[in-house]
Amino acid sequence: MSFKKPKDSNNKFARRVLLKLSGEAFGGGSLGIDVLVLRNIASEIKKAIEKGVEVCVVVGGGNFFRGAELAQAGIDRSRGDYMGMLGTVMNCLALQEFLEQIGVETRVQSAISMGQIAEPYIPLKAIRHMQKNRVVIFGAGTGLPYFSTDTVAIQRALETHCVKVLMGKNGVDGVYSADPKKNPDAKKYSTLTFTEALVKDLEVMDAAALSLARDNNIQLQVFGMDDTGAVSRALIGDTKIGTILKEG
């Protein structure tokens, strides 16, 4: 699939990107919602919107439920995954609230029907919202079990013709050859191919998501969220932070 560059109302090329945020980021590393973290994320997204960037967001639900971990506790894996999907919707609504509070228009689109709080996922409608400077927040994963939100991020970016996927990480500022917290000699990559990430098992995201990104020639930027302003810098197009993954 080839990407089509989005245009704004003045017929200039607009930058449209997808921001992938983990549920752990929303919880500040713990269960539930960290209000200060969410306010900071919302304010940084607003800075990018004000510069004409079109933004959509995929959020995880790990601060509430993780299907794989629930399965280890004896809960049916598919049911655990559905619980995780509902957790992502709670995070969507939280981010929506903090964005709306500072004057950013938003729409939540859910892969599971819940008409009172979210629109159904419709790619063309999501594109139109972004063209109107609304932030679109995608929840409930794919609506199916056994798919990670990493895979959802790549799939949604492809369907809405985003030029890049931005993955914010907590506690690490890019992709390393090993865990930098455990190995002080770990090397940080400035650029990397998806094939290298898969072969070296670098755990950037799950293998299905990496393969989907590679096969469709999408670009991924992994960056750390610990530094103030990192989210807005990544959204606006700063390529000097984090690690860029692309094939070829």
Side-chain angles (χ1 to χ4, degrees):
M1 177 179 179
S2 60
F3 286 103
K4 297 177 182 178
K5 281 191 175 182
K7 292 184 179 181
D8 64 18
S9 57
N10 295 318
N11 293 321
K12 297 178 180 178
F13 285 122
R15 174 180 168 83
R16 182 182 302 153
V17 294
L18 184 143
L19 176 63
K20 167 64 169 62
L21 299 172
S22 69
E24 288 81 357
F26 277 45
S30 60
L31 185 67
I33 297 290
D34 187 315
V35 171
L36 292 178
V37 169
L38 271 180
R39 280 182 176 153
N40 181 61
I41 292 172
S43 66
E44 294 200 33
I45 291 174
K46 181 179 181 178
K47 292 176 184 176
I49 293 293
E50 290 174 339
K51 290 185 177 294
V53 180
E54 297 177 1
V55 179
C56 55
V57 186
V58 166
V59 298
N63 53 324
F64 292 113
F65 304 104
R66 295 182 69 90
E69 293 176 5
L70 291 171
Q72 292 175 359
I75 293 177
D76 178 79
R77 172 60 192 270
S78 61
R79 187 165 290 114
D81 280 353
Y82 282 117
M83 293 169 67
M85 291 177 215
L86 297 178
T88 70
V89 176
M90 289 192 282
N91 283 335
C92 287
L93 296 177
L95 180 58
Q96 179 181 45
E97 173 63 18
F98 285 102
L99 284 167
E100 294 279 352
Q101 283 183 8
I102 57 175
V104 178
E105 286 192 62
T106 64
R107 293 293 187 273
V108 172
Q109 289 196 349
S110 170
I112 297 176
S113 179
M114 44 186 77
Q116 288 180 294
I117 58 174
E119 297 178 353
Y121 170 58
I122 302 174
L124 289 177
K125 197 168 186 179
I127 290 170
R128 186 61 180 146
H129 285 319
M130 285 186 276
Q131 290 173 337
K132 293 181 178 180
N133 295 321
R134 297 168 184 153
V135 174
V136 181
I137 312 167
F138 299 119
T142 61
L144 298 169
Y146 301 102
F147 289 92
S148 73
T149 49
D150 288 344
T151 303
V152 173
I154 303 300
Q155 189 275 336
R156 297 293 189 258
L158 288 167
E159 279 207 292
T160 57
H161 306 299
C162 294
V163 297
K164 185 183 282 190
V165 173
L166 306 168
M167 176 173 281
K169 293 280 191 179
N170 278 4
V172 64
D173 61 347
V175 180
Y176 284 77
S177 58
D179 187 343
K181 296 177 182 177
K182 298 178 181 178
N183 184 353
D185 295 323
K187 171 191 172 184
K188 179 184 175 183
Y189 296 98
S190 58
T191 60
L192 193 65
T193 68
F194 292 110
T195 300
E196 288 173 329
L198 284 164
V199 171
K200 295 178 181 179
D201 195 23
L202 296 178
E203 298 183 355
V204 179
M205 53 172 51
D206 69 71
L210 282 172
S211 297
L212 185 62
R214 179 191 62 189
D215 294 347
N216 289 277
N217 198 32
I218 198 168
Q219 191 173 123
L220 173 70
Q221 183 172 2
V222 181
F223 68 98
M225 295 181 59
D226 296 335
D227 294 336
T228 302
V231 173
S232 59
R233 287 173 61 194
L235 289 170
I236 291 166
D238 188 342
T239 59
K240 295 180 181 179
I241 61 173
T243 303
I244 303 291
L245 287 93
K246 58 183 178 179
E247 202 63 26

